[in-house]
Each structure stands twice: as C-alpha cells, then as structure tokens.
Amino acid sequence: MTTSEQLFEKAKTLIPGGVNSPVRAFRAVGGSPLFIKSGKGPYVYDEDGRQYIELINSWGPMILGHAFEPVEKAVRDAIQYSFSFGAPTRKEVEMAELIVSMVPSIEKVRMVNSGTEATMAAIRVARGFTGRDKIIKFEGCYHGHGDSFLIAAGSGAVTMGVPDSPGVTKATAADTLTAPYNNLAAVEVLLDNNQNQVAALILEPVVGNMGCVIPEPGFLQGVRDLCNKHGVVLIFDEVMTGFRLAKGGAQERFGITPDLTTLGKIIGGGMPVGAYGGRAEIMNVVSPAGPVYQAGTLSGNPIAMSAGLAMLHHLNDHPDVYTRLDEIGEKLATGFRAGLQKAGLNYTINQIGSMFTLFMTERSVSDFADAKSCDLPLFGRYFHAMLKRGVYLAPSQFESLFVSVALTNDLIDEVIQANEEALLEVMSDE
Ligand SMILES: *Cc1c(COP(=O)(O)O)cnc(C)c1O
C-alpha cells in the first residue's frame, strides 16, 4: 500500500468518506485519492514523494502557481500581528477598495469565508431587496452547497425543482426554478409564469462546474434584458471566473453588468475567502446598513486578507498574466485536439482563456444534457492514464482544468504528450 492509500484507509474511519469535500475522494474516476504533501510552482508532491504537474491548482486559487512568493511573504509578514481580532482592520478597507477597482459592477462589497457563503448571502440579499421568494438557476451550474442551490431540474424547463440531496426541504426546492443553460426561451417562460415572484437569477457567466461551457452569443445580454424587464436581481457567480477570465472576471470579458457578483477561490490566494458585492443600492440592505442579516466571526480575517491582497495586487499590476493564461489555454486546446485526431476521436473541447474541458462525447456541449452524454467510465480510465504520466487533472469529467501561469511551454508540451499517450492507451483497452 502507498502512504496515500494508508492515509485514506484511516481517514475513512474518521471523516465521512475519508475527505472533507466529496470530489476529492476520486469516486467519479475510481481508485484511491492522492494525499498531497507540498506544492511549488507548477508541481505538487504526494505523500509518497511523487511529483505531478498541476492542473487543479486547488480548484483555481493557485493561478500563479504554488507557494507564490509575494503571497507567502504577505502571510509571513501578517502573522506576527496576531491572527484574528473580530474587529475592523485596515486590510479589509484595502481589500474592498481593490475589489471595487477591479470588478466593473461592484460598488460595495462584503467579505465572507467561502464561495458557498457568498452565494447564500447574495440570494438572501436579493430576496430582502425585492421582497420576492423564488430564484432561477441553470441545470448543471454549481453555486456551492447552500440548500437553495442543490436542486436538479425536473423534466422540462417549467417544472418545479426537486431536492438533489436529502436534507433539503420540499419548500426550499419549490422556490428554486431551473432552466437549461444557454436557453433564453426557457428563462422567459419561467419569468412569465412567475410574475413578480422571482427575486434573483443566478448563473455562472462561463460555466466551470459541468465542465467548461461557454455562453452562446447573446445569451448573457438576453439574461440581462429579461432581468431588467422583470425586476429580477441578476447575480453572476464568479467564484470560478472572477480574476481568472480577466482581472474583472467574465463580466469584464463579455461586457455585461450584473447587479450582484459572488467571488471566491482566487480572491483568497489559497486562504478561505469569499465575497459578494454589487450595486450600492442593493448592498445597502445588508446589516448593519440595512435589515438583511449576514455576519461572520472570522470574516475579513487579517491573514486571509493579506494573502488575498497580495494575489489580487499581483493580478491587477500584471495584465500580462491574462495574456499568458489565454495563450496557455489555446496551446493546450490545440495540442489536445491534435491528440484526439491521432487517436481517431471526434470528442469535444470547450476552451475560453484558462478554462478548458475535454468532453468525452461527440456532441457539442452547450448545456448539462450535452455534458451528461459523456463516456464517464472512459474519462475515469483517461484520468488514471494521465496521473500515471505525472499529470494531475480534476478527478471528474464535470470540471474545467485550472491552469496556472507557472506552466512553462516545456511543461505544456509534456501535458500535450501525456494526453496523446493516455488517449491511445485508453482507446486500445476498448
Ligand atoms: C467553487 C464554487 C462555489 C463554491 O465555493 P466554495 O468556496 O467551495 O464554497 C460556488 N460557485 C462556483 C461557480 C464555484 O466554482
């Protein structure tokens, strides 16, 4: 048994499923998860001392590579002043100022401790602001584990949601309406059938959580127009896309202005941080400025703020990071396409900037039904074939790759080579 396997056996006796977040357990790809000991630049090292090229990067935050020195230094500098006060600090003001300057639609912002907290709060704020109860989300979009978001679609766009998880009440599910991504007509039907009842529409402006799915031309603008027409608060969940697709996120890249934005992942530089913000008129309903309650003992934590500030300052001051991320994404997509061709496969690749998914399906993928048509057992074998070659992908078909700028051209070539070999290997098993 490897050290990772031994740790996993023990972890399973102590932690549900042996992990503190489900996808880490490798259930979707089979096998036993790697226990990671350290990371530096483009690499992570497991407990057995093996080195992997990183394409997870903590699901996004390590966009500058592991243990990036300015972030590490900021944390070291901060810890000498104690770790938490539960009182306002200068760094929170700096953080708010920086976020407002970077993200086009945000006028006021509140810090929280995770993406999930951000989306749960944003929904409450939208409900408090509009006095309405229902929300619209899209099938296959993930907005954290809040009750309102764990809703699968019924059959057809106009059915009420049913809970996706035990423990979510029917009443909660009934307030969540769902539509297929990229389907404006379905949204219009929901809004027409629920006049003056919908508080918010929330979406990933580019989806990462069913694999990478890109909004079709006009979709985001169409959603914006429908929200205006019906007085619905438009929430861009940019927990993944924020500070990734541009320094101002997808809203900057596509030039669409949401009312509220949720942020996470990159914003903490690897520390547990989230944020939500938007139009001042809406954010002013948040306590203590207004009546909508939302709080957090450790929110705006000075160590977390220091890491996040160092990360965001670097991104803000180095626009070349985004040029390079786009270049890396394009190089990978081109190389992976060549690999598919050599293996005689006609599978789909979706890529925009540094978001990228190889879908094991011949369908073009523009919504969750398309994504679900993938050959999942094949993906599992491919995942392990890549791992064997030292490339650590997200252990699920329904994820985007998360590249970092630490990937050199040589490493990109290694990944492309590994992809080609892995595809040939799994196809020869067929
Ligand atoms: C990761 C993610 C979340 C949840 O963030 P956590 O920090 O894991 O709670 C919410 N929305 C999107 C789009 C995400 O990618």
Side-chain angles (χ1 to χ4, degrees):
M1 265 213 272
T2 64
T3 310
S4 283
E5 284 164 351
Q6 284 167 20
L7 284 168
F8 192 48
E9 286 311 308
K10 182 158 187 193
K12 281 191 284 191
T13 69
L14 298 164
I15 306 170
V19 290
N20 283 312
S21 195
V23 187
R24 293 180 197 171
F26 276 24
R27 291 268 174 107
V29 291
S32 186
L34 303 179
F35 279 63
I36 303 299
K37 189 168 184 182
S38 67
K40 185 67 197 166
Y43 297 113
V44 283
Y45 301 86
D46 69 9
E47 286 283 350
D48 294 285
R50 282 182 299 215
Q51 172 183 283
Y52 299 90
I53 300 174
E54 253 289 55
L55 293 175
I56 299 186
N57 284 300
S58 187
W59 307 85
M62 301 291 101
I63 193 169
L64 301 173
H66 281 281
F68 184 69
E69 271 110 31
V71 176
E72 193 188 321
K73 180 171 183 308
V75 171
R76 279 184 202 281
D77 288 349
I79 53 180
Q80 59 189 310
Y81 298 104
S82 190
F83 314 145
S84 181
F85 307 107
T89 57
R90 176 188 296 270
K91 291 205 170 110
E92 292 160 86
V93 186
E94 287 175 25
M95 181 58 121
E97 192 173 26
L98 188 56
I99 293 169
V100 167
S101 77
M102 289 175 80
V103 185
S105 68
I106 296 186
E107 295 171 355
K108 280 195 175 177
V109 62
R110 172 61 67 81
M111 303 310 297
V112 293
N113 303 292
S114 68
T116 294
E117 268 190 65
T119 53
M120 290 189 339
I123 289 292
R124 185 182 305 141
V125 167
R127 286 174 166 153
F129 179 73
T130 58
R132 302 172 178 180
D133 288 345
K134 292 181 182 172
I135 63 165
I136 295 176
K137 77 175 282 288
F138 291 96
E139 296 159 20
C141 280
Y142 178 67
H143 304 294
H145 64 83
D147 284 359
S148 300
F149 305 119
L150 295 179
I151 312 299
S155 55
V158 288
T159 15
M160 289 293 182
V162 292
D164 225 3
S165 164
V168 175
T169 66
K170 288 192 194 72
T172 298
D175 279 336
T176 301
L177 313 174
T178 62
Y181 200 77
N182 274 320
N183 189 333
L184 276 180
V187 177
E188 204 160 2
V189 170
L190 289 176
L191 288 169
D192 285 341
N193 291 346
N194 295 274
Q195 297 274 1
N196 300 316
Q197 296 177 64
V198 178
L201 181 151
I202 185 167
L203 82 166
E204 300 179 67
V206 170
V207 191
N209 288 294
M210 51 178 130
C212 174
V213 172
I214 299 168
E216 285 167 1
F219 178 63
L220 294 177
Q221 184 63 54
V223 161
R224 175 69 276 180
D225 294 343
L226 283 171
C227 286
N228 288 349
K229 181 174 160 201
H230 290 269
V232 172
V233 174
L234 175 59
I235 305 171
F236 273 14
D237 181 356
E238 299 229 41
V239 171
M240 192 185 294
T241 52
F243 313 108
R244 169 169 295 281
L245 288 181
K247 77 181 164 76
Q251 57 194 268
E252 178 187 324
R253 196 158 177 137
F254 288 90
I256 307 288
T257 309
D259 300 304
L260 292 177
T261 300
T262 54
L263 297 164
K265 298 195 166 109
I266 293 172
I267 200 176
M271 302 289 272
V273 178
Y276 64 99
R279 274 165 53 201
E281 179 198 5
I282 301 178
M283 290 303 289
N284 283 338
V285 306
V286 178
S287 183
V292 175
Y293 197 71
Q294 187 273 309
T297 301
L298 295 175
S299 294
N301 172 271
I303 312 298
M305 290 303 99
S306 300
L309 276 169
M311 172 70 84
L312 297 194
H313 273 303
H314 186 90
L315 295 172
N316 198 32
D317 297 344
H318 296 83
D320 51 304
V321 166
Y322 293 100
T323 321
R324 178 61 185 158
L325 285 170
D326 281 8
E327 200 176 275
I328 294 173
E330 276 155 33
K331 273 181 194 292
L332 283 171
T334 306
F336 274 45
R337 283 203 180 93
L340 284 172
Q341 212 159 29
K342 280 194 192 154
L345 295 168
N346 193 22
Y347 290 157
T348 293
I349 288 175
N350 283 356
Q351 180 254 329
I352 173 171
S354 62
M355 291 174 70
F356 172 107
T357 300
L358 162 54
F359 289 101
M360 302 287 180
T361 178
E362 296 192 354
R363 266 160 83 160
S364 66
V365 179
S366 62
D367 64 17
F368 194 38
D370 296 331
K372 281 196 296 194
S373 73
C374 288
D375 185 339
L376 301 181
L378 182 68
F379 179 85
R381 294 203 299 281
Y382 166 77
F383 170 84
H384 284 286
M386 290 294 273
L387 204 58
K388 200 168 74 181
R389 289 168 176 82
V391 180
Y392 189 28
L393 303 174
S396 164
Q397 171 73 84
F398 302 113
E399 299 291 348
S400 171
L401 295 187
F402 300 92
V403 303
S404 83
V405 286
L407 272 185
T408 60
N409 285 344
D410 284 348
L411 289 177
I412 294 170
D413 288 342
E414 264 186 58
V415 172
I416 289 171
Q417 178 69 24
N419 172 67
E420 194 177 309
E421 290 174 18
L423 286 173
L424 290 170
E425 179 185 314
V426 296
M427 292 321 291
S428 68
D429 294 346
E430 285 282 277

